[in-house]
Amino acid sequence: MREEEVDRLRGVVRDCVSKHLYSSAIFFADKVALATGDPADIYMQAQALFLGRHYRRALHLLSSSPHVLLQDLRFRYLAAKCLEELKEWHQCLTMLGDAKVDEDGNVHAQKDNSAMYLDKDGEDHEINTTAAICFLRGKAYEALDNRAQARLWYKAAVKADPLCYEALECLVDNYMLTCEEESSLLSSLQFGKDDRWLSTFYSCLIKKHDKEHVVEAKFRELERETCAISSSNSSFGHTLRNNSDLLACKAEYYYQCGEYHKCFELTSALLERDPFHLKCILVHLAAAVELGHSNDLYLMACSLVKDYPQKSLSWFAVGCYYYCIKKYDQARRYFCKSTSLDGTFPPAWIGTGNAYASQEESDQAMAAFRTAARLFPGCHLPTLYIGMEYMRTHNFKLAEQFFLQAKKICPSDPLVDNELGVVAYHMKEYQKAVQWFEMTLDHVACSLSEMWEPTLVNLAHAQRKLKYIHVTLQPDIQTNNSYRRYHKAISYYEKALTVSTRNLSAFAGLAYTYHLQDNLDAAITYYHKEAAFVDSGYAHLERT
């Protein structure tokens, strides 16, 4: 066969692959490899076999050239990919060779640097094969339930090549790293001069508890950098500014901030344009649960079960619907089905625990939360919920320990600070409670919404308690400094009423604080307002 005929057949094989005509690709690749015996053509034939799902045959073909298999990274990587598809994880690791990785994701004792470039028409811009091998090692270890090693190899994959997005996705979506570890990893990545936009994008993926102006600035910076790199192709900049992944990232940020309405509006608009964006669907479901949109949950669950019956997300959506309508037994059953399909799906484990907790079944809830905490060491929510369960059963010391552990995992989540303040309040450590509640308000990413009204009321209660204790212990010493506590309490009660005007606790607290100040006119006014809201509530109940 002449060289020009061989080149033409190579082009036919590539075209068949691009058109997903894998049997044709296998047929012609076999003829090219037989005619030349070139390792590059053998590799092309093995790729065609792999894409055609002939994994055993591809593995046999690669193994029939043991010298090249040992010498060339790409041969070994493709052979390991065949073993991955065959679920032979130990053999997969053996095929990839011996290597060690440290806690920082640095690979040692790897003698695979003499890789031969086999693809004769390959592009200059490609993901480092070493990064792909590290990622495959991580997948193998995760399949073998060795999540500690999987985490290290995923880190190694991203450090070997920041373009290996799948490795970062596994680390972030499976909560394998704490917030501090995520920031440290991101700062250690070596991006190319044209990849600044990717660095900003990654920072938006992991920074969900920063202040609003910080995160919004990063989104604006990302759009500006996109425009800068797209001067030769203006459509690219426009596309990325309206990119589904970027909008889903924004929606997740709004959800973390407690801006559920804004989150739901964004996800609804995105799903109209891209109805099968699974990450956006997950955020959409979470926001719908918070807002009590049971009809939307029902429609979404039906659609997912129809289109993706084997995905854990589909049955998680069904569980969310039943959880929203307070049918916790059914919710628990579907959350458990979701975990049985994918044991590494964090929301399903948390949903299971919350369904048990809603029925005050603490032991089962604790078991689900502990499993989630073990599987997802970078997620602080299971530890936070364990603390809440201990607090519900008045075991405040243990609750405080778990809240502090959650804060160590995610130092900037205001929900953790709020729960620490509640625990301190219950333990009558009012000064500590004030500090935690003030730290909560400092960590709120955006402007105060109705979600943070209980924090303001609790802070006011704690300030009032501090003054009350001071006056009780030293009745003859009523200084201006001690009375300042009452004024602070009143200011926080009033701030709570600006957030939610129908808060009975705020009216009662204001009335009682004014009463303690001997300002009886103001106290009577707020007592009457509280009574009026109580009466209107009872009247509404009678009408319904």
Side-chain angles (χ1 to χ4, degrees), residues 464-483:
R464 176 175 55 80
K465 285 283 189 179
L466 277 174
K467 170 59 179 67
Y468 182 73
I469 287 175
H470 182 86
V471 174
T472 303
L473 293 177
Q474 303 180 40
D476 297 329
I477 306 175
Q478 297 188 7
T479 62
N480 291 332
N481 184 51
S482 62
Y483 269 115

Side-chain angles (χ1 to χ4, degrees), residues 244-255:
S244 297
D245 290 335
L246 184 60
L247 294 177
C249 184
K250 280 188 177 183
E252 188 177 353
Y253 168 71
Y254 291 143
Y255 178 83

Side-chain angles (χ1 to χ4, degrees), residues 226-227 230-242:
T226 300
C227 293
S230 60
S231 57
S232 60
N233 185 0
S234 59
S235 64
F236 177 75
H238 175 75
T239 302
L240 191 55
R241 279 198 299 273
N242 296 279

Side-chain angles (χ1 to χ4, degrees), residues 428-439:
K428 303 187 186 304
E429 297 176 353
Y430 299 116
Q431 185 60 54
K432 187 189 291 187
V434 166
Q435 293 172 356
W436 283 121
F437 288 136
E438 288 177 343
M439 194 178 297

Side-chain angles (χ1 to χ4, degrees), residues 11-278:
V12 170
V13 172
R14 286 189 290 272
D15 187 59
C16 289
V17 169
S18 68
K19 291 183 171 62
H20 308 287
L21 301 172
Y22 298 128
S23 292
S24 299
I26 292 169
F27 176 81
F28 290 111
D30 173 66
K31 308 306 177 285
V32 172
L34 182 64
T36 66
D38 191 326
D41 293 325
I42 295 173
Y43 181 77
M44 182 177 67
Q45 181 187 1
Q47 276 192 315
L49 290 167
F50 179 85
L51 293 171
R53 299 186 178 183
H54 299 282
Y55 305 120
R56 288 288 181 193
R57 188 179 172 193
L59 182 62
H60 176 74
L61 175 65
L62 292 166
S63 302
S64 64
S65 304
H67 177 71
V68 179
L69 184 64
L70 291 173
Q71 292 289 322
D72 192 85
L73 268 179
R74 294 192 175 201
F75 265 63
R76 272 200 285 147
Y77 175 67
L78 186 55
K81 288 292 290 183
C82 293
L83 292 166
E84 176 200 9
E85 295 294 337
L86 296 168
K87 310 299 181 188
E88 297 180 3
W89 300 110
H90 289 290
Q91 293 91 325
C92 177
L93 289 171
T94 302
M95 181 63 69
L96 292 173
D98 295 327
K100 302 293 183 183
V101 62
D102 61 22
E103 283 293 328
D104 296 323
N106 300 312
V107 181
H108 303 284
Q110 186 171 355
K111 300 176 182 179
D112 295 327
N113 297 322
S114 58
M116 185 167 51
Y117 188 68
L118 298 178
D119 188 355
K120 293 187 177 181
D121 294 315
E123 297 290 338
D124 291 336
H125 305 290
E126 63 174 18
I127 291 178
N128 191 317
T129 305
T130 303
I133 287 176
C134 291
F135 174 68
L136 185 52
R137 278 197 180 100
K139 289 185 70 176
Y141 278 116
E142 188 171 10
L144 293 170
D145 206 24
N146 190 341
R147 293 175 64 82
Q149 278 293 310
R151 176 176 64 88
L152 298 179
W153 282 110
Y154 287 148
K155 287 174 66 176
V158 182
K159 292 190 75 170
D161 193 337
L163 297 179
C164 189
Y165 168 75
E166 287 183 72
L168 182 69
E169 185 180 42
C170 288
L171 289 169
V172 173
D173 290 353
N174 292 335
Y175 297 98
M176 290 185 166
L177 303 177
T178 65
C179 292
E180 184 180 352
E181 289 172 335
E182 285 180 344
S183 299
S184 176
L185 175 63
L186 185 61
S187 64
S188 69
L189 299 184
Q190 301 294 322
F191 291 94
K193 61 180 181 180
D194 295 328
D195 294 333
R196 283 188 59 198
W197 69 272
L198 185 61
S199 173
T200 308
F201 204 116
Y202 282 1
S203 68
C204 290
L205 285 177
I206 68 173
K207 297 292 187 181
K208 295 298 192 302
H209 295 287
D210 274 351
K211 291 288 187 181
E212 182 178 22
H213 68 275
V214 175
V215 179
E216 293 292 348
K218 286 182 179 178
F219 284 130
R220 289 194 297 271
E221 180 187 351
L222 180 59
E223 293 176 359
R224 284 198 303 270
E225 288 185 356
T226 300
C227 293
I229 67 172
S230 60
S231 57
S232 60
N233 185 0
S234 59
S235 64
F236 177 75
H238 175 75
T239 302
L240 191 55
R241 279 198 299 273
N242 296 279
N243 178 258
S244 297
D245 290 335
L246 184 60
L247 294 177
C249 184
K250 280 188 177 183
E252 188 177 353
Y253 168 71
Y254 291 143
Y255 178 83
Q256 297 285 2
C257 294
E259 298 281 351
Y260 302 125
H261 287 285
K262 191 182 291 187
C263 173
F264 189 79
E265 289 174 2
L266 183 56
T267 54
S268 298
L270 177 54
L271 289 174
E272 285 184 9
R273 194 180 72 197
D274 189 356
F276 303 105
H277 194 288
L278 298 184

Side-chain angles (χ1 to χ4, degrees), residues 361-431:
E361 297 182 20
S362 288
D363 291 340
Q364 294 90 333
M366 291 279 202
F369 291 140
R370 284 196 175 98
T371 301
R374 176 178 57 82
L375 291 175
F376 317 113
C379 183
H380 68 291
L381 293 179
T383 310
L384 178 65
Y385 289 135
I386 291 172
M388 288 180 176
E389 283 301 300
Y390 277 123
M391 188 164 62
R392 190 175 64 81
T393 56
H394 303 287
N395 195 335
F396 299 122
K397 283 294 184 183
L398 273 176
E400 184 180 38
Q401 290 179 19
F402 278 96
F403 290 147
L404 289 172
Q405 185 178 340
K407 185 168 180 62
K408 186 176 180 180
I409 297 171
C410 185
S412 56
D413 187 357
L415 287 174
V416 180
D417 298 327
N418 181 74
E419 295 306 316
L420 281 164
V422 173
V423 165
Y425 186 92
H426 280 299
M427 295 169 67
K428 303 187 186 304
E429 297 176 353
Y430 299 116
Q431 185 60 54

